[in-house]
Amino acid sequence: MTPAPPSASGGITTPPATRLAVVGTAGHIDHGKTALVRRLTGVDTDRLPEEKQRGISIDLGFAPLVTPAGVHIGIVDVPGHERFVKNMLAGVGGIDLVLLVIAADEGVMPQTREHLAIVQLLGITRGIVVLTKSDLAERDWMELVKRDVRALLAATPLAEAPLIEFSAMTGAGQAELLAAIDAQLAGVAGRATDAPARLPVDRVFTVEGFGTVVTGTLWRGTVRSGDNLELLPDGHAVRVRRVQVHGATVDGARAGQRTALALHGVSKEQVARGHWLVAPGSLRASSVLDVRFELLPDYPRQWKAATRVRFHLGASEIIGRLVLLEGSGLAPGGSALAQVRLEKPAVPARGDRFVIRSYSPSRTVGGGTVIEPVATKRKRRGGGLESLAVHESGSLEARLLERLAAEPTLASTAVLAKAAGDSEAAVAESLGRLAKGGEIVAPIQGRWLALARWAAAEEAVTREVAAYAHKYPARYGVPKGELKSGLKATMDGALFDVAFDALLAAGKVALRGERVRLAGEPWEPPAEMVAALEKLEAELEAAGLAVPETAAWQGQLGAAGAEVLSLGYFLGRLVRVSQEFTYTARQLESLRVKLAAHFEKKPTLSVAEFKEISGVSRKYAVPLLEHGDRVGWTVRSGDERGRGGRVA
Ligand SMILES: Nc1nc2c(ncn2[C@@H]2O[C@H](COP(=O)(O)OP(=O)(O)OP(=O)(O)O)[C@@H](O)[C@H]2O)c(=O)[nH]1
Ligand SMILES: [Mg+2]
């Protein structure tokens, strides 16, 4: 990225008709990958001083190329040294086509095999074998090497890949190679430019006047200057200050382009290779993933059930454990459902391909596909694998149904789309079909629920209400808050609320005060409790309005008395006027009548007048007046009170 003032911006987004592709090199050290790229593009991708000095590539290099057919290509040149396979992995993730470079004078070598394995594990199916340094090979030898290569590729998706003889020295084979690239790319489908943006960061640096700049291959979507993006896994909000594609400032970049983005909102220190820039909210960081793991056929022994590994996804390398969910081990060449548990979060999406390398020594041993990007820790052979199998290969509808059945609460279309790794439109359509088929409940407040969950929730609420009535026959029913918190383990608050409201609306439960009872089950307070309540009322009334403080007598009631008290409150026969005082409803009613009479004569009421009317001291007058304000007998203004609406 060459520094340029913002005014130099104003380049245009690559026209939609322009075909784009990312092409990567692969192959053993010193086999001529960088020389090939230089021959095709004129760009020397070995830019580090150490690379120049040692004559090898260490990190990724990038160069643009427009093919004879007009495809705009970003070439990613990778290092071949076995110590830098991790750098190779950081660049090869998003490529459409691989150039497997094999020096004709040396033939197939260890990193030829390892890079080929990686390409295969990442699901890259388009490739060209470039037999380079053809100027150094005799014809017979060349034929031998070709036979070797064919044997190597036989069981791979590259079995039919063209073999092109090439020399970076003489330029021989260049036209054939370019033609082969065009032929291979002819079948490449354009990437989803309308999907949420996703870019694995493979380089970070600063440019004077523009601050932090990151580069990467835009895997999907579009990025324009001014866009807000999210930097994951840390979750920083950033804004794009400037977009460049191959050194030229443009208004926007689209999927399939090598992209450099100048960012607002993060320092260089906050970004590293392996991070991701994504459309805000489109992906989540996750340390536990359910996957299909494939072990390479040349792995020397049985794979152990839980093994420390290096997990490579996008440009990230994260240490973790690969735990088989089925079987006690895995034979070379086999595959199994497995769980990846990472020491730091990755940013996976459903369907992503990843590579697994052994922890030490680092060696490519396998890879696989992400099934559940955000998973919870599972027990080995702990069951639930049928569900995982549905998520692996079921239809979108089957997967949505499976997810809703496991979802303890209502889920929005957006959340389900994210989990399914599909577009919201497609997910909404499938959900609509499921609802029509009666398999899920039509959306409640825009959120969905499996029918089984819904039935279970209603059943649980009903059961709890009945159990409470059975346990406490003297009480009308369970307080709603207690019911909700008692069911917390089975359903969250949102689900409880909708299930409860539905039961209420359907007339299956009745609500009186804050207590809930099954509808149609008559309730009468037991006669002995009513008698005890009457006695308590009589005691309170005996004191006139100067009742004893509640705390003074409440403690002496005992368990049965406490029940009577709460029955009195529930029936409204006792009223807690303040923290200190409880009155009977009859006492308050006669007070209300007196107040009504007062207001017939005078529109206002002072504390002194109230004391006179009620015959109590200030200690009682104040809480009684405040009670009057609350229930609408009086309306307070300053020290005076006017007539409330409920005193007539
Ligand atoms: N004679 C001849 N020499 C070549 C050719 N291509 C590359 N070389 C030489 O081979 C050496 C290695 O070439 P590079 O292009 O650096 O090899 P590389 O594959 O990029 O190596 P790494 O990136 O370190 O894996 C250099 O000295 C090149 O000049 C070729 O076609 N003919
Ligand atoms: Mg090189």
Side-chain angles (χ1 to χ4, degrees), residues 33-34 46 56-57 77-80:
K33 298 179 288 301
T34 301
D46 283 346
I56 62 167
S57 301
D77 182 34
V78 309

Side-chain angles (χ1 to χ4, degrees), residues 483-531:
L483 179 63
K484 187 171 178 173
S485 62
L487 286 165
K488 224 194 243 153
T490 10
M491 67 185 86
D492 74 348
L495 178 53
F496 173 85
D497 289 344
V498 295
F500 185 83
D501 289 349
L503 286 168
L504 200 59
K508 290 182 182 160
V509 297
L511 187 64
R512 183 165 157 191
E514 270 304 293
R515 286 183 184 265
V516 187
R517 183 166 185 81
L518 291 185
E521 293 205 344
W523 175 81
E524 283 292 335
E528 71 277 10
M529 281 183 67
V530 175

Side-chain angles (χ1 to χ4, degrees), residues 25-38 45-46 51 55-59 77-81 84 101 105 115 132-136 166-171:
T25 62
H28 197 72
I29 183 166
D30 245 6
H31 274 205
K33 298 179 288 301
T34 301
L36 177 150
V37 173
R38 192 170 50 230
T45 55
D46 283 346
E51 290 176 321
I56 62 167
S57 301
I58 294 171
D59 211 341
D77 182 34
V78 309
H81 196 295
F84 307 130
V101 176
D105 59 337
H115 283 196
T132 189
K133 304 199 189 182
S134 61
D135 54 291
L136 298 182
F166 178 83
S167 169
M169 188 86 121
T170 67

